[in-house]
Each structure stands twice: as structure tokens, then as C-alpha cells.
């Protein structure tokens, strides 16, 4: 049967019809017996001829291992030789079918035919194919598929992990085609179907890598068809899912199924898998003082969920240090958090040392931005010999120093000072504490690579989950949070006191703290509302000023509290029975981890509500947005080399000996965290919900009333909320723009002084904003200019200026920017070079001939741009456009006009449709060129040109 299925042609049968001796001898071992397994042919619906035979006496062969060595390998399963592999779609009983239907909440079909001899309930797989709602589990091996079917899951099996797809090969065996799902899987790949991979758990590095590669490659083919792909994982010692259920029970597998990983998260799982590093596992509600690391350990990692007492445990360590005369340095990524921790630990904050009375004798707390010699701390790493360094929220602290704008101007100095600090402390017997609810190997490996010698590490992981199934999370769909805010208003009317987290703060953010505060004050003038954001906590005239250290005392005084990301990490709101609910609007600015952290700031077990964008904002992606480590590093390096090369070509020699090698450890940590951030942004809402589900939240989708009349009423309420929010924003924002334009004008020295002030009143903030705009554009500051600047006008105008009238000054501009990054160190961080440089972008725009669209009288259509578009559609060119301009071109879906407008948007320009031509079947639109000066940019360009010429004269004179 095996041979007949697999081989047809000459040399198989003798003249008398019997198989040749060659084939009889090859399969003689099967005569001792074994078992055969096949299933249903998914494509035809009939019984499948294809299958596998497992002989009782399997054959062996010698595998060559190199250097003349061989290894005996056993062939456990015999497949039809040279036949295309299929899948196992096993026949099932009526009882299993009923259990599957019940588990998936899908009705059974009528008149199911039962085979009297086998008990098979026929047409099961036809029913599955017709019901995309039913998820499919894919495993390896028939027995595992049978196990999952018995447990109530629709499962199919592959004979091998790479057998889910095929690629065409030429006669020499070279792959020439694109991978495609095999026909038996293709029929399942329909829009909306969920595919769950459930392959073996294997600890061998090579096998583990192969499993991951096979799942990712097959999974992406399903995703391309519109399927949702997830992966079921477990940490139990059992290898296959059948062994897992046998060793535990089916409920354990149900739990693992509930926390299955999205394909993208699974692809990056190794980057955040802490298990190889763990020395001690705990399952405690609170960390106790008795938890003591070995005295010899110098790198101590603490991974414990939010609200389990990490800060309290660290305070015990600080108190112990104080008694022993050991200094403690606490490093955070936010000033307010550093102040709160300093108070909690009984040490100084850097700003209070001179007036504290103890002058930092026990150590102090500061923000990572200040870890350099020129900060107010006058930071010197040699002052911390033998000290204990606590990096709280370490994942965010490390990411902040590697990627934040606030560190950019001093990045190289901060990184080198931090590295020297770590080395000095460790070399003199000190210790480093890494504390984070989401502690990952990224932070641990980064610190270890900064230290030249091997050190003893001790990593503790506390897996306690107090939320498991207890805390309700209501999830709102839609393109904006109007449904969430409508329900929030109803909760306030019922007398509930909400804590509201939102990503936005600024005046033009409709769903930010400022606009929501104004909106709620109009609706509920009788209620006390507190706004906590970067402005209010630093405004001496605002009630939120200095509140971060006294949250548990101040917040109970208010009925509604609105908080920006300033409250996302590092604080614990321990108030009980005051807030009735927590609400979150995640607009794609914060990382996935940060959003989840924000929801946990209030420790009280009250319901949570969340709305999140489906995809993060474009500005929140890092680098070229890649989620592949090699791809991100390669593109970052190529772009940096291109920017420096273009300056060298322009005759600038400052960077001829630029040192690239110093940043290897820093750049690798940056790239590893960047692809995690990009992966989260790529599927923002899904990633947030998956993480919260793992943390124990019970996800409840918001379901508008099903009664048609009430549902229609609700839809009207949602529209009304959106309209009211929009109107409130427009009115408030118009007033803000007027106030900025009417603010007091300040001199350049006064503007510098305002920028350096940490505490500012509203009047000072308005004056600073006006001064910045005046300096930036060098024209009168009008309300229209304020609005345009908020819309990102400056970056667009700047690029247009250096592409055209200011091109002669581009090289000098980039030269100054990069030199400012180097700070006389002779070094620059590659991501910062790429962020600050415009040379490569301008060069790319010229190569793309984007200036052809600057002719206002030009006429363009998909036909006139055909040759231009074909040049852009070259795979290599598409990749370079993505790397340099951040624009992705889809060769199958994009049109020439769409791509042209996408590129022109970088300059704040667009092609204007002026009509159409052609008949009904070949009708197409006609566009005119860009109207360059319709927005008055020519006046600004004239001022910039004048300024740059004057600066050139001064530079030459100097």
C-alpha cells in the first residue's frame, strides 16, 4: 500500500505484476506488524489513501556525521515514498463532535450520519470547513491530534514540523518558488479563522530553533490569508501535548490554551524568556524580609508582579546598607519617581541633598538623565566604590537611557558614565539590583556585558498572581474611545469615582488629560477633579504640584482623577474603597508594558475598562519598525553609514575616524528592546489584551444593548459623546493657540532660563512655547502657526527647505547635529545619528525624483507615473525606501498616486485631483502638481535662508 501510493513508473513491478525484490526487501521489516493511521481527505471529503505506518520492528540507517563518522538513526514512521505529504484529519465519534460544538458554542448540524461498523460521525470535517468561527489546532503526529480531539479541540496533525508548506524547486533541487500552504491546510486558511500551533516542547537548542522556524514560517502563510495565528506553550517537563495531558489533566491544558501566544510574541519569546536565568522560584502574595540573596551574588534580579512588595523588599535592603555604612544609589527614569523612592527608602533625592541635613551620606536617588559629569549631580562614578545600585523599573530605565529624546544630547556620556559606574561598583565589592515586574534577559545580559569579568548573579521570579480570574477588564472596540467615555459618564452619574489613565496630555489631544478635564468640569461642575500630568505636577500653582509623594493622602480628596503616563509606573496607590473603577485610553504612544503597568497603579480590586488603538502610532515605532533583530541592526548600520558617507562626500572630515565599536553592548540592547516595542505596536490592542490575560484579568468585551431600539439609542449616545469631545477640544484648543500668540515675548537668554526651569507656572509655559516658535520659524507667532506646529509642520518644512533652497547648508546642518551628539568624545550612537541627520533622506528623495511633483502645472496619472512606479517597485528599492523614509510600499495593492502622496506627505504636500478621463471601464483620475506656497512656507524659507547665510559668514569669520 505504501509503495503503490508513493511510487508509480518503471522498475516497480515485475512482468508478472509482483513488486520487484528491491522494494520487497526495503519494506520486509513491516511483515512483523505494526499500526497504520490515515484520516479524511480534507480536499475531497473521502477517506484518505495517504497515511503512515509504524512498524513494530523499525528499520535503521547510517547517518553521516562528518570526518568519516556515522550515527545509527531509526525510522519510526514509514510514509509513502516520494509521495506528497498530507495531514491527519482523524475520524471522530458523535460524542466528541458534540463536545467540540459545545466548547465552541456552535450548533450541531441536522441529520448526522453514523457509520454502524466504526461509530464514525461523518461529515465532521465538512462542518468544520463551513464554520470559520471554530479554531484549528495544528500538532505533529496523529496520536497528539487524537488527544486534542478527545479533549474537545478541533485538531489536525502534520507528519513533520516542516510539512505544512511546500516550495517549488528546480531540477537541481534549488528552491525557486515562494512557500505555499499544502492544499490540505489551504482549505482551512480563511479570513477570521484562528490557527493554534501545538508542537512539542523540546529543550535541545537546535530542535527548539527548528520548531520556532517551522511555526513562524507556516504561521505567516496563514496570516497572509487573514487568519489569526497563536501558539500554545507550556513549561511542564512533558514533551508532547499527549504526554502533557497524561501527566497533568485536561484542565491544565485548558489553562495553557487560554494564555496562548500571538505568533509575533512567540517569535520574540526567547528575548523575554527569563526561565534560563532563574535561581529561585516563588509563589508569594508578598515578598518577605527573609528573602536574602547569597552574599557572594553581585547581580541580583527581582521579577515579581505589580503590588507584591518589590519596593518594600528593596527598602529593607537599603535600611540594611545604611546600618552597615554602605551607600545606595537609586536610578530611575522619571524625576517624580526618583523623589518618591528617595522618600520611601529614607535617602536624599539629588535635588534635595544640600538642604536635607545629611548631604547624601547614605546615597541618593536620581534620574538616569543625570548620570553624567555635567549634570546638576556632577556625577562621578568613582564616588560609588562598594556601593549598592538599585535600578527600579530597570527595563524602562535602560530603554530610557538608550532611546529617549531627553538623553539624546548627552547619550554617549550617559552610557559611558553608566558603564563605568557599574564596573567600579562591581570591582569594589558592590552589588546591582535589577527590579521589574517584567524583568527580561535583555536587562540582565546588558548589565553583564558592561562588566569585563564574570560575576555571580541571583535571579528570583515570583509567579504569584492575585488577579487570576478575579479582576474584570471591560474591553471597548472601535476606532476611538467614544464608547468607553460614554460608559464612563454613566458611571459618574451613578455616583462612581473613577481613576482615568490616558496616553495624551497636550491641548490638541481630544482624549488627553487637558481636554477631558475641561469636558468633565462642564458636565459635572459640582465634582472635584484632579489632573495629574507633566504640566500640573511641575506647576507650583496647581493642586497636583508635588502630589507624587502623597498620592494616598491626596487622591481620596477628589471625585475624578485624570492621569497621563506620568503615573504609569513606580507608584503604588493603596487606597481602598474610594475609587469604584479604573479607565484607560491607550492611544498607541506608550509601550504595551507601560499600559499594563498603568492599569495596576491602583491596587484595589475594582473593575478595569480599556480602549486601545489596534495599531500603535507611526511615531511610536523604533528605527525602521522591524521586528527582526538582524534586519533592524542592519538597517540602522546602513543608514548611519549612509549619513556619514554623504557628509564625507561633501568634504566634511570630522567623522573620518568615528569610533563605531564602543557601542556594541548598548546597540544590541537597544535593538532587542526595540523589536519588542515594535512587535507590540504592530498589534497594539491585541498585545495589550494578551498580556493582561496572562496577568489574570477576565476579559469581557463591551457589548452594546442587543435590543434594536436601545442599541440605536446607544449609538446616538456614542455619536453625541464624540461630537461633544470634539467641540470641547476645538474651543479649548483655539483658546490655547490664542493664549500662546498673545503671551509675553522673552529674550533668548530668558528663553534658555525658562527651558532649564523644572517648575513652571502656566504663564511661563505659554511664554516658553511662544519663544520656541519664534526661534524655530523666525516669523510672527500667530494662532495658525501654533496649530500647524502641533501638527508636525516644522519637520515637514525643514525637510522641504533642505531639499530645495537650503540644500547648500544641509551638510553643515548635519555636521553640527552629529558633533553635538559626540560631545568631544569622538563617538556617536548610531540610532541618534539617524534621528538627527537629514542627508540620507534628502539624497533618497532626489533619487526618487520627488521634485517632479513640485510643478504646479504638471499633470500626473497612473499612466504617466508607470515607469517611475516600476523603478520604486524593485524589491531592493522598496527595502531602501522603508529603511530611509520609513514608507512601506505594497507592490500588489499600492498605486503610483498613492505612493507619491505618501512620500509628499513627508514634506507636507500632496497632489490635487483635478478630474478624470477615460470611459466606464478604463476611467482614471488626473492630478495636478503641488501648490508649494499655499501655506506661506516661502516666507519662512526666506527667513531661514537669510539666517543660514548669516551663520555661514560668522562661521567663516571665526
Amino acid at each position: 500500500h505504501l509503495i503503490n501510493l508513493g511510487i508509480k513508473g518503471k522498475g516497480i513491478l515485475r512482468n508478472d505484476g509482483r513488486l520487484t525484490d528491491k522494494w520487497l526487501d526495503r519494506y520486509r521489516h513491516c511483515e512483523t506488524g505494526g499500526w497504520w493511521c490515515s484520516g479524511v481527505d480534507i480536499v475531497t471529503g473521502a477517506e484518505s489513501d495517504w497515511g503512515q505506518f509504524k512498524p513494530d520492528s523499525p528499520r535503521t540507517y547510517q547517518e553521516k556525521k562528518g570526518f568519516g563518522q556515522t550515527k545509527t538513526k531509526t525510522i519510526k514512521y514509514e510514509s509513502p515514498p516520494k509521495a506528497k505529504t498530507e495531514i491527519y484529519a482523524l475520524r471522530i465519534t458523535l460524542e466528541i463532535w458534540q463536545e467540540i460544538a459545545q466548547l465552541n458554542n456552535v450548533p450541531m448540524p441536522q441529520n448526522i450520519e453514523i457509520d454502524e461498523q466504526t461509530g464514525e460521525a461523518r461529515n465532521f470535517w465538512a462542518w468544520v470547513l463551513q464554520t470559520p468561527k471554530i479554531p484549528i489546532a495544528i500538532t505533529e503526529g496523529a496520536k497528539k491530534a487524537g488527544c486534542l480531539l478527545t479533549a474537545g479541540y478541533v485538531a489536525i496533525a502534520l507528519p513533520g514540523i516542516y510539512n505544512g508548506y511546500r516550495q517549488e524547486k528546480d531540477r537541481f533541487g534549488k528552491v525557486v518558488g515562494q512557500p505555499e500552504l499544502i492544499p490540505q491546510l489551504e482549505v482551512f486558511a480563511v479570513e477570521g479563522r484562528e490557527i493554534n500551533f501545538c508542537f512539542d516542547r523540546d529543550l535541545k537548542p537546535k530542535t527548539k530553533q527548528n520548531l520556532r522556524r517551522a511555526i513562524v514560517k507556516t504561521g505567516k502563510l496563514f496570516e497572509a490569508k487573514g487568519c489569526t495565528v497563536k501558539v500554545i506553550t507550556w513549561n511542564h517537563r512533558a514533551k508532547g501535548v499527549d504526554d502533557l495531558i497524561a501527566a497533568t489533566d485536561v484542565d491544565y491544558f485548558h489553562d495553557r490554551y487560554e494564555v496562548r501566544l500571538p505568533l509575533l510574541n512567540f517569535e520574540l519569546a526567547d528575548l523575554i524568556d527569563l526561565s534560563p536565568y532563574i535561581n529561585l522560584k516563588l509563589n508569594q502574595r508578598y515578598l518577605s524580609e527573609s528573602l536574602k540573596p547569597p552574599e557572594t551574588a553581585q547581580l541580583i534580579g527581582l521579577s515579581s508582579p505589580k503590588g507584591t512588595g518589590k519596593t518594600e523588599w528593596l527598602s529593607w535592603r537599603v535600611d540594611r546598607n545604611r546600618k552597615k555604612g554602605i551607600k545606595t544609589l537609586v536610578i530611575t527614569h522619571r524625576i517624580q519617581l526618583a523623589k518618591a523612592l528617595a522618600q520611601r527608602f529614607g535617602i536624599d533625592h539629588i535635588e534635595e541633598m544640600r538642604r536635607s541635613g545629611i548631604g547624601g551620606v547614605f546615597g541618593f536617588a536620581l534620574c538616569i538623565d543625570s548620570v553624567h559629569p555635567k549634570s546638576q549631580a556632577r556625577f562621578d562614578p568613582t564616588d560609588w566604590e562598594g556601593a549598592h545600585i538599585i535600578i527600579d523599573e530597570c527595563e524602562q530605565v535602560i530603554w530610557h537611557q538608550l532611546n529617549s529624546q531627553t538623553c539624546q544630547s548627552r547619550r554617549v556620556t550617559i552610557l559611558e558614565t553608566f558603564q563605568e559606574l557599574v564596573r567600579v561598583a562591581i570591582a569594589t565589592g558592590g552589588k546591582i539590583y535589577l527590579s521589574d515586574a517584567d524583568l527580561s534577559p535583555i536587562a540582565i545580559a546588558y548589565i553583564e556585558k558592561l562588566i569585563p569579568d564574570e560575576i555571580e548573579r541571583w535571579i528570583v521570579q515570583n509567579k504569584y498572581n492575585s488577579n487570576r480570574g478575579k479582576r474584570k477588564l471591560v474591553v471597548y472596540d472601535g476606532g476611538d474611545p467614544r464608547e468607553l467615555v460614554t460608559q464612563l459618564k454613566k458611571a459618574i452619574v451613578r455616583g462612581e469615582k473613577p481613576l482615568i489613565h490616558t496616553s495624551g496630555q497636550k491641548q490638541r489631544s481630544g482624549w488627553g488629560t487637558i481636554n477631558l478635564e475641561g469636558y468633565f468640569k462642564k458636565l459635572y461642575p459640582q465634582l472635584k477633579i484632579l489632573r495629574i500630568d507633566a504640566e500640573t505636577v511641575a506647576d507650583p500653582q496647581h493642586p497636583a504640584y508635588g502630589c507624587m509623594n502623597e498620592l494616598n493622602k491626596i487622591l481620596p480628596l477628589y471625585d475624578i482623577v485624570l492621569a497621563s503616563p506620568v503615573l504609569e509606573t513606580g507608584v503604588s496607590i493603596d487606597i481602598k474603597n474610594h475609587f469604584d473603577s479604573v479607565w484607560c485610553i491607550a492611544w498607541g504612544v506608550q509601550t504595551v508594558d507601560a499600559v499594563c503597568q498603568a492599569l495596576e497603579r491602583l491596587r484595589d480590586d475594582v473593575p478595569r475598562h480599556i480602549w486601545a488603538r489596534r495599531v500603535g502610532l507611526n511615531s511610536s515605532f523604533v528605527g525602521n519598525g522591524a521586528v527582526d533583530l538582524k534586519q533592524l541592526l542592519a538597517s540602522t548600520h546602513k543608514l548611519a553609514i549612509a549619513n556619514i558617507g554623504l557628509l564625507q562626500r561633501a568634504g566634511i572630515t570630522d567623522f573620518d575616524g568615528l569610533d563605531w565599536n564602543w557601542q556594541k553592548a548598548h546597540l544590541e540592547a537597544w535593538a532587542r528592546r526595540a523589536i519588542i516595542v515594535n512587535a507590540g505596536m504592530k498589534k497594539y490592542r491585541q498585545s495589550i489584551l494578551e498580556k493582561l490575560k496572562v496577568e489574570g484579568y477576565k476579559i469581557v468585551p463591551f457589548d452594546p444593548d442587543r435590543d434594536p431600539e436601545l442599541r440605536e439609542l446607544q449609538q446616538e449616545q456614542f455619536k453625541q459623546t464624540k461630537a461633544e469631545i470634539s467641540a470641547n477640544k476645538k474651543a479649548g484648543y483655539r483658546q490655547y493657540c490664542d493664549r500662546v500668540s498673545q503671551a509675553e515675548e522673552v529674550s533668548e537668554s530668558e528663553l534658555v532660563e525658562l527651558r532649564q526651569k523644572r517648575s513652571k507656572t502656566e504663564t511661563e509655559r505659554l511664554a516658553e512655547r511662544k519663544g520656541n516658535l519664534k526661534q524655530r520659524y523666525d516669523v510672527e507667532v500667530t494662532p495658525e502657526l501654533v496649530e500647524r506646529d502641533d501638527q508636525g509642520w516644522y519637520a515637514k518644512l525643514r525637510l522641504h527647505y533642505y531639499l530645495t533652497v537650503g540644500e547648500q547648508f544641509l551638510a553643515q546642518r548635519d555636521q553640527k547635529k552629529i558633533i553635538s551628539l559626540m560631545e568631544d568624545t569622538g563617538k556617536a550612537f548610531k540610532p541618534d545619528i539617524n534621528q538627527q541627520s537629514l542627508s540620507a533622506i534628502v539624497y533618497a528623495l532626489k533619487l526618487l525624483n520627488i521634485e517632479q511633483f513640485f510643478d504646479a502645472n504638471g499633470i500626473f496619472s497612473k499612466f504617466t507615473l508607470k515607469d517611475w512606479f516600476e523603478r520604486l517597485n524593485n524589491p531592493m528599492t522598496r527595502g531602501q525606501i522603508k529603511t530611509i523614509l520609513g514608507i512601506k510600499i505594497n507592490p500588489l495593492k499600492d498605486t503610483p498616486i498613492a505612493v507619491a502622496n505618501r512620500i509628499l506627505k513627508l514634506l507636507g504636500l500632496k497632489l490635487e485631483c483635478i478630474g478624470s478621463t477615460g470611459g466606464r471601464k478604463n476611467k482614471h483620475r488626473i492630478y495636478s502638481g503641488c501648490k508649494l506656497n499655499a501655506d506661506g512656507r516661502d516666507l519662512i524659507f526666506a527667513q531661514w535662508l537669510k539666517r543660514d547665510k548669516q551663520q555661514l559668514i560668522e562661521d567663516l569669520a571665526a
Side-chain angles (χ1 to χ4, degrees), residues 763-940:
T763 301
E764 290 172 326
R765 288 197 304 273
L766 293 171
E768 181 187 3
R769 179 74 197 280
K770 184 174 182 178
N772 286 334
L773 291 173
K774 180 68 177 175
Q775 190 178 81
R776 173 175 281 184
Y777 295 98
D778 205 10
V779 295
E780 180 187 356
V781 178
T782 63
E784 292 74 24
L785 182 65
V786 178
E787 184 172 0
R788 285 175 175 170
D789 184 73
D790 280 338
Q791 294 169 353
W793 203 43
Y794 176 69
K796 297 170 183 176
L797 260 61
R798 181 184 61 186
L799 187 55
H800 187 190
Y801 171 75
Y802 286 115
L803 178 66
T804 53
V805 295
E807 184 183 0
Q808 60 181 313
F809 302 108
L810 174 60
Q812 286 73 26
R813 181 258 177 208
D814 279 2
Q815 177 191 25
K816 290 179 181 179
K817 289 290 183 181
I818 297 175
I819 286 176
S820 71
L821 295 175
M822 294 165 64
E823 289 187 283
D824 303 322
T825 63
K827 304 171 186 177
F829 197 45
K830 288 180 187 176
D832 291 336
I833 291 175
N834 296 336
Q835 279 194 353
Q836 288 293 314
S837 302
L838 295 178
S839 292
I841 299 176
V842 169
Y843 184 69
L845 290 174
K846 285 191 170 294
L847 285 181
L848 295 176
N849 191 23
I850 203 68
E851 291 172 280
Q852 67 177 307
F853 302 114
F854 293 175
D855 180 5
N857 298 316
I859 301 296
F860 304 95
S861 70
K862 65 179 181 180
F863 296 109
T864 65
L865 293 175
K866 182 180 178 182
D867 292 341
W868 176 79
F869 190 56
E870 285 180 357
R871 289 198 300 275
L872 265 63
N873 250 329
N874 177 284
M876 184 176 292
T877 305
R878 288 203 309 269
Q880 291 170 341
I881 291 172
K882 178 72 163 53
T883 294
I884 299 173
L885 302 182
I887 292 174
K888 187 175 181 180
I889 298 175
N890 187 323
L892 300 178
K893 295 181 180 179
D894 279 327
T895 64
I897 296 294
V899 172
N901 271 331
R902 209 176 298 157
I903 297 173
L904 287 168
K905 189 177 180 181
L906 297 174
L907 309 172
L909 301 170
K910 67 176 181 178
L911 301 176
E912 298 287 346
C913 181
I914 57 174
S916 59
T917 186
R920 287 177 56 188
K921 293 185 178 180
N922 62 348
K923 189 175 182 179
H924 62 277
R925 292 180 175 180
I926 303 296
Y927 293 79
S928 68
C930 302
K931 296 178 175 60
L932 297 182
N933 301 315
D935 53 10
R937 64 178 64 194
D938 55 330
L939 301 176
I940 294 171

Side-chain angles (χ1 to χ4, degrees), residues 347-359:
I347 58 177
D348 287 327
H349 180 262
I350 186 64
E351 292 179 0
E352 300 159 355
M353 278 207 316
R354 291 188 180 89
R355 56 180 181 270
S356 69
I358 55 176

Side-chain angles (χ1 to χ4, degrees), residues 246-497:
T248 56
D249 53 43
V250 74
D251 288 335
Y252 179 86
F253 179 78
H254 291 330
D255 289 340
R256 297 313 307 163
Y257 183 83
E258 285 300 313
V259 294
R260 57 202 184 279
L261 296 174
L263 181 64
L264 191 54
N265 294 32
F266 171 77
E267 189 176 358
L268 303 176
D270 277 352
L271 290 177
I272 56 176
D273 181 14
L274 196 62
S275 55
Y277 292 79
I278 298 170
N279 298 97
L280 177 64
K281 288 185 178 182
L282 301 174
N283 189 8
Q284 297 178 191
R285 177 66 185 87
Y286 295 107
L287 300 176
S288 67
E289 193 173 358
S290 61
L291 176 65
K292 296 179 180 178
E295 288 298 326
T296 52
Q298 288 188 280
L299 179 58
I300 297 152
L302 189 59
S303 172
S304 191
K306 298 169 277 285
T308 52
K310 293 189 297 297
T311 305
E312 185 64 22
W313 185 82
L314 288 170
S315 71
W316 292 326
R317 307 304 295 176
V318 175
D319 186 58
R320 178 176 174 271
N321 290 348
R322 196 163 43 236
K323 292 173 182 176
K324 289 189 170 186
I326 299 173
K327 290 172 68 175
T328 302
L329 176 67
V330 179
I331 302 176
T332 71
H333 65 300
R334 294 189 187 278
I335 294 172
Q336 298 299 330
L337 175 57
K339 290 181 177 180
L341 288 176
Q343 185 179 51
R344 186 87 173 265
F345 293 158
I347 58 177
D348 287 327
H349 180 262
I350 186 64
E351 292 179 0
E352 300 159 355
M353 278 207 316
R354 291 188 180 89
R355 56 180 181 270
S356 69
I358 55 176
V361 68
F362 300 122
F364 55 76
L366 81 171
C367 189
I368 187 68
D369 302 58
S370 298
V371 179
H372 63 88
K374 295 182 181 179
S375 70
Q376 64 168 337
R378 298 290 185 266
F379 195 87
D380 185 349
T382 60
D383 292 341
W384 299 94
E385 293 184 358
H388 287 201
I389 302 167
I390 294 175
I391 308 177
D392 193 40
E393 308 286 354
C394 65
E395 297 291 340
Q396 296 193 56
V397 172
I398 291 170
W399 180 235
H400 185 83
Q401 74 161 343
L402 292 171
N403 195 67
S404 71
Q405 291 289 333
T406 57
C407 288
Q408 191 176 73
S409 62
R410 304 277 187 187
R411 181 100 62 208
V412 174
T413 310
I414 291 172
L415 294 177
E416 291 192 328
T417 305
F418 179 74
Q419 182 166 356
E420 183 62 19
L421 167 68
V422 168
R423 289 178 175 178
V424 166
I426 292 298
T428 53
K431 297 179 186 294
I432 298 172
Y433 292 83
L434 302 177
S435 172
D436 202 294
D438 300 301
L439 181 64
S440 78
I442 298 174
I444 297 170
Y446 175 60
I447 298 297
E448 288 184 329
K449 287 178 180 178
L450 299 184
I451 302 167
D453 303 316
E454 189 173 332
I455 62 170
E456 182 181 343
R457 67 171 180 244
W458 190 71
I459 311 298
V460 178
Q461 185 181 54
N462 181 20
K463 295 293 287 184
Y464 182 82
N465 194 336
S466 60
N467 294 342
R468 179 66 66 189
K470 293 181 183 177
R471 195 170 286 174
K472 177 182 173 184
L473 178 71
V474 181
V475 179
Y476 297 81
D477 204 351
D480 61 53
R482 66 182 75 180
E483 293 182 359
L484 178 142
V485 175
T486 301
Q487 298 308 110
L488 170 59
K489 290 192 297 182
K490 292 178 180 179
I492 295 172
V493 170
R494 290 195 300 268
E496 291 187 20
K497 293 182 172 64

Side-chain angles (χ1 to χ4, degrees), residues 143-156:
K143 289 185 287 185
K144 292 158 192 170
C147 177
L148 288 174
L149 283 163
T150 309
Y153 296 88
V154 176
I156 55 179

Side-chain angles (χ1 to χ4, degrees), residues 628-868:
D628 178 85
L629 185 64
K630 290 182 180 178
Q631 189 182 105
L632 181 62
L633 284 170
S635 68
T636 301
H637 176 71
K638 287 177 182 176
L639 187 53
I641 293 296
N643 278 307
I644 296 299
L646 287 167
L647 293 179
Q648 291 170 330
R649 189 186 301 179
I652 294 173
T653 59
D654 300 72
F655 313 116
D656 289 351
L658 192 62
D659 181 6
W660 297 108
N661 296 322
W662 71 275
Q663 58 193 302
K664 185 176 180 181
H666 307 295
L667 191 61
E668 187 174 312
W670 171 84
R672 289 179 182 277
R673 178 51 61 187
I675 63 174
I676 298 293
V677 171
N678 288 341
M681 291 296 167
K682 194 172 182 180
K683 296 185 177 180
Y684 194 59
R685 181 184 295 174
Q686 180 185 344
S687 298
I688 291 171
L689 297 184
E690 292 291 344
K691 183 171 176 59
L692 291 171
K693 189 187 294 185
V694 170
E695 292 181 358
Y697 280 88
K698 182 181 179 182
I699 308 295
V700 181
F702 171 68
D703 187 13
D705 202 299
R706 295 184 180 181
D707 183 285
E709 291 186 9
L710 292 176
R711 190 180 183 88
E712 187 175 344
L713 176 62
Q714 277 189 322
Q715 294 300 324
E716 287 301 317
Q717 291 173 341
F718 299 153
K719 289 179 183 178
Q720 183 181 351
T721 295
K722 170 71 173 178
E724 290 172 351
I725 288 283
S726 181
N728 190 73
K729 185 199 81 169
K730 286 179 182 177
Y733 185 61
R734 193 161 44 243
Q735 291 174 9
Y736 168 75
C737 293
D738 288 340
R739 291 202 307 273
V740 172
S741 65
Q742 296 164 10
E744 179 185 355
E745 293 202 12
V746 295
S747 65
E748 287 203 12
S749 60
E750 290 172 327
L751 181 59
V752 170
E753 188 178 336
L754 277 174
R755 288 171 179 166
Q756 292 174 344
K757 283 189 72 173
R758 293 197 183 278
S759 300
K760 300 169 192 173
T761 64
E762 183 181 14
T763 301
E764 290 172 326
R765 288 197 304 273
L766 293 171
E768 181 187 3
R769 179 74 197 280
K770 184 174 182 178
N772 286 334
L773 291 173
K774 180 68 177 175
Q775 190 178 81
R776 173 175 281 184
Y777 295 98
D778 205 10
V779 295
E780 180 187 356
V781 178
T782 63
E784 292 74 24
L785 182 65
V786 178
E787 184 172 0
R788 285 175 175 170
D789 184 73
D790 280 338
Q791 294 169 353
W793 203 43
Y794 176 69
K796 297 170 183 176
L797 260 61
R798 181 184 61 186
L799 187 55
H800 187 190
Y801 171 75
Y802 286 115
L803 178 66
T804 53
V805 295
E807 184 183 0
Q808 60 181 313
F809 302 108
L810 174 60
Q812 286 73 26
R813 181 258 177 208
D814 279 2
Q815 177 191 25
K816 290 179 181 179
K817 289 290 183 181
I818 297 175
I819 286 176
S820 71
L821 295 175
M822 294 165 64
E823 289 187 283
D824 303 322
T825 63
K827 304 171 186 177
F829 197 45
K830 288 180 187 176
D832 291 336
I833 291 175
N834 296 336
Q835 279 194 353
Q836 288 293 314
S837 302
L838 295 178
S839 292
I841 299 176
V842 169
Y843 184 69
L845 290 174
K846 285 191 170 294
L847 285 181
L848 295 176
N849 191 23
I850 203 68
E851 291 172 280
Q852 67 177 307
F853 302 114
F854 293 175
D855 180 5
N857 298 316
I859 301 296
F860 304 95
S861 70
K862 65 179 181 180
F863 296 109
T864 65
L865 293 175
K866 182 180 178 182
D867 292 341
W868 176 79

Side-chain angles (χ1 to χ4, degrees), residues 472 487-488 491-492 494-501 559 561 578-584 599 602 604-609:
K472 177 182 173 184
Q487 298 308 110
L488 170 59
I492 295 172
R494 290 195 300 268
E496 291 187 20
K497 293 182 172 64
L499 171 61
I500 307 160
H501 294 276
D559 303 301
V561 175
H578 177 73
F579 291 111
D580 298 289
S581 51
V582 177
W583 305 72
C584 180
L599 277 173
L602 179 68
D604 204 1
D605 281 324
V606 297
R608 266 67 170 167
H609 301 253

